[in-house]
Amino acid sequence: MSAPLDVSGQEMRAEPEAVAIAGGAPIQGRSLGQIAWMRLKRDKVALAGGLLVVFLILVAVFAPLIVGAFGQDPTQFNSDLIDSSTMAPKTGTGIGAQHLFGIEPVNGRDIFSRIVYGARISLLIAFLATLLSVIIGTLLGVTAGYFGGLVDSIISKTMDVFLAFPILVFAIALAGIVPDSAFGLTGDTLRVSLLVFIIGFFNWPYIGRIIRGQTLSLREREFVDAARSLGARGPYIIFRELLPNLVAPVLVYSTLLIPTNVLFEAALSFLGVGVRPPTPTWGGMLSDAVRFYTIPHFMFFPGMAIFITVLAFNLFGDGLRDALDPKAR
């Protein structure tokens, strides 16, 4: 049997620097946000989608400056550029330095300017409607999931009713009967507010169901039991314990709901019950272009604007979902 090692007290003491240093750099923990950002940076497609989303938002915000530099007033008529016999743009007055995307038939309005200003309407309605859906759906979903029982049954049945409701038909009917002045609002302000209410109020059950399912899982976790044992009541647990842990699914679903709302607004404008002319909207431009299918650029540019916007948000939303998923590799 070998003799015990003769180790002095000096040799048994580990230096703090030896533990805290690895490869010459301090070992630092990463927060969930830092881990999610590292994952998102590795997803080049999602990152490209996010940059495109930022670009579209900047275009909408600075629309007057962009149009002032590269276009003209989106409501300005250029009848002198239209052939009175065919109502189409005259030869040599199409896409060029003066009109980057060409001009519309009949009235000769600048398509580029109307596309840029149309981004304002589409993104404004999509963001505000999504915010309304998220607020209602999150609050009702977490309430149903946490309290359960009769409260869960009532809210769940309400979700089923809303999900079975023909939203598009109701939106067409409601938007069509509202007068030009109501609730102290007029013009575009009234139409935008009405569309935000219709789209946002009737879409909340989708996120409500997701949040309810997440809450049913979270309410059985140890930190919720610890809060109950310390005497915390329902409202405190909901707002201080559950909602902070629901930020990730709410954020991901919001980025995926925005493009859906962009399409919804475009569909309503296409059917003539959205924001009324002469305010430019992408759906309204597509509706006008149907009559002039022989002039492809009239339909191409608003269609591409909708396609690129929806694609950018979907790519970014998918990447964000993967980045925030703790089980993803």
Side-chain angles (χ1 to χ4, degrees):
M1 183 172 64
S2 60
L5 295 174
D6 185 12
V7 181
S8 65
Q10 181 68 22
E11 294 171 332
M12 285 290 294
R13 186 172 65 249
E15 295 296 332
E17 290 78 4
V19 178
I21 301 295
I27 299 176
Q28 297 180 353
R30 296 188 180 97
S31 65
L32 294 178
Q34 291 173 325
I35 295 174
W37 172 239
M38 290 178 59
R39 291 175 176 171
L40 187 61
K41 286 194 298 184
R42 289 197 293 266
D43 191 342
K44 303 303 181 183
V45 175
L47 204 58
L51 293 176
L52 188 54
V53 166
V54 173
F55 172 75
L56 292 170
I57 294 173
L58 292 177
V59 167
V61 172
F62 297 104
L65 297 178
I66 297 174
V67 169
F70 302 101
Q72 57 181 240
D73 189 339
T75 61
Q76 177 182 336
F77 285 13
N78 296 291
S79 302
D80 57 310
L81 303 179
I82 300 298
D83 188 342
S84 58
S85 60
T86 62
M87 303 308 294
K90 294 180 179 178
T91 304
T93 60
I95 299 175
Q98 295 295 327
H99 305 282
L100 298 180
F101 291 170
I103 58 176
E104 293 183 341
V106 181
N107 48 52
R109 292 179 296 194
D110 184 63
I111 294 179
F112 173 78
S113 301
R114 295 181 65 77
I115 291 291
V116 172
Y117 270 92
R120 279 189 157 188
I121 297 296
S122 294
L123 293 182
L124 177 64
I125 293 176
F127 276 109
L128 293 180
T130 301
L131 179 62
L132 180 60
S133 297
V134 166
I135 292 175
I136 299 175
T138 300
L139 291 179
L140 292 181
V142 72
T143 301
Y146 177 75
F147 289 105
L150 181 61
V151 174
D152 184 20
S153 179
I154 293 174
I155 295 178
S156 297
K157 294 298 184 294
T158 304
M159 292 180 185
D160 294 337
V161 172
F162 274 83
L163 290 173
F165 205 82
I167 302 177
L168 184 59
V169 176
F170 180 79
I172 294 173
L174 183 60
I177 63 175
V178 173
D180 294 334
S181 177
F183 313 111
L185 303 174
T186 58
D188 290 345
T189 304
L190 175 61
R191 305 304 297 183
V192 169
S193 302
L194 182 63
L195 291 178
V196 168
F197 171 76
I198 293 173
I199 298 173
F201 183 73
F202 288 96
N203 277 334
W204 68 265
Y206 296 97
I207 190 170
R209 280 193 164 183
I210 294 175
I211 298 303
R212 175 184 173 273
Q214 294 286 334
T215 304
L216 288 174
S217 175
L218 288 175
R219 73 176 185 178
E220 307 299 331
R221 301 285 293 274
E222 294 80 2
F223 64 91
V224 176
D225 292 335
R228 288 198 195 100
S229 66
L230 293 174
R233 297 183 179 274
Y236 177 89
I237 295 176
I238 289 176
F239 287 99
R240 298 298 297 272
E241 301 292 343
L242 295 178
L243 284 180
N245 288 278
L246 293 171
V247 170
V250 168
L251 186 61
V252 169
Y253 190 77
S254 298
T255 57
L256 297 176
L257 185 60
I258 289 174
T260 303
N261 291 340
V262 169
L263 292 174
F264 204 149
E265 183 276 330
L268 293 177
S269 296
F270 181 84
L271 295 172
V273 293
V275 178
R276 294 177 178 174
T279 302
T281 61
W282 294 340
M285 295 178 68
L286 285 177
S287 179
D288 294 337
V290 171
R291 297 176 296 168
F292 298 93
Y293 57 89
T294 57
I295 307 177
H297 74 274
F298 189 20
M299 181 178 291
F300 174 79
F301 289 112
M304 284 301 298
I306 296 174
F307 172 76
I308 291 173
T309 302
V310 173
L311 180 63
F313 276 101
N314 282 333
L315 292 177
F316 179 65
D318 288 339
L320 192 62
R321 177 182 56 195
D322 295 337
L324 293 175
D325 186 2
K327 297 179 181 180
R329 291 185 178 273

